[in-house]
Amino acid sequence: FYNREKYDDFVPVLATEWKLSDDGLTYTFNIRDGVTFHAGGTLEPHDIAYSLQRAMLQDRIDGPMALYLEPVLGTSSLTSLAVERANVTKEGATLADVPADVSIALCEEVMAAVTADDAAKTVTIKLKSATPWFLQLLAQPWGGALDSEWMIEQGDWDGKCQNDAGEASWVAWNGPDAQATKLFDQANGTGPYKLESWKKGQEIVLVSNESYWR
């Protein structure tokens, strides 16, 4: 997170420390031990990788993921990149018009750019172009840590690029309406307060997280 009002200095939160390669293209983060999600799961590096991969693959229209996709893949839109790679000339083409092999390869590229090593407790992010402001992006709330196992149990993205039939299954989670996302009215974070109830248009009740790592 940002160090108070400073925009170029950061304090460790879920990552205890990090390093940047000499060429400015590879970030390695050491993930903190002893952090639990509100629903009881344990935060592990693969959860961080899943969260960032899911956010970029979801790439909601008018959402913030273009800011991640530019340095990671060199594009502001997964759909436009997939359409371009598939040489689809149809006006207004979507991922549904893109052959499965192209869509799957694009997903695999996203997953290769963000990897986790649970044993070493690290997450590595590889960029296509040096981006000095990348830490500023990570300090924003857009890529918050999700419990991957819990998300999959809720019926969200299963962490795979294709299903057993060889179809680009991840496409089903791309660009959803806000109300259609599993996290529209649920929360399972790691912060000091957790969502107890939400009566839409009336009140939101938060309660103290007794398992908060701090």
Side-chain angles (χ1 to χ4, degrees), residues 57 73 78 81-82 85-86 95 98-113 128 160-162 166-171:
L57 291 173
L73 290 182
L78 285 183
L81 181 58
R85 289 182 175 180
L95 286 172
V98 175
D101 61 330
V102 176
S103 294
I104 291 169
L106 184 56
C107 172
E108 290 175 344
E109 198 171 328
V110 170
M111 296 185 73
K128 277 193 175 297
K160 300 177 182 178
C161 292
Q162 59 182 307
E167 300 166 326
S169 53
W170 72 270
V171 171

Side-chain angles (χ1 to χ4, degrees), residues 102-177:
V102 176
S103 294
I104 291 169
L106 184 56
C107 172
E108 290 175 344
E109 198 171 328
V110 170
M111 296 185 73
V114 185
T115 57
D117 185 333
D118 285 345
K121 301 190 181 303
T122 59
V123 170
T124 301
I125 303 175
K126 297 181 179 179
L127 309 181
K128 277 193 175 297
S129 58
T131 307
W133 56 91
F134 196 68
L135 287 179
Q136 277 90 338
L137 297 179
L138 292 178
Q140 302 293 334
W142 312 315
L146 304 173
D147 183 342
S148 57
E149 288 83 3
W150 182 85
M151 291 294 293
I152 294 170
E153 287 175 0
Q154 306 311 305
D156 207 276
W157 178 52
D158 61 4
K160 300 177 182 178
C161 292
Q162 59 182 307
N163 58 23
D164 293 338
E167 300 166 326
S169 53
W170 72 270
V171 171
W173 283 275
N174 176 265
D177 293 332

Side-chain angles (χ1 to χ4, degrees), residues 27-31 44-46 48-49 52 114-117 121-125:
Y27 285 87
T28 303
F29 298 87
N30 289 81
I31 305 305
E44 298 180 82
H46 71 261
I48 302 291
L52 293 172
V114 185
T115 57
D117 185 333
K121 301 190 181 303
T122 59
V123 170
T124 301
I125 303 175

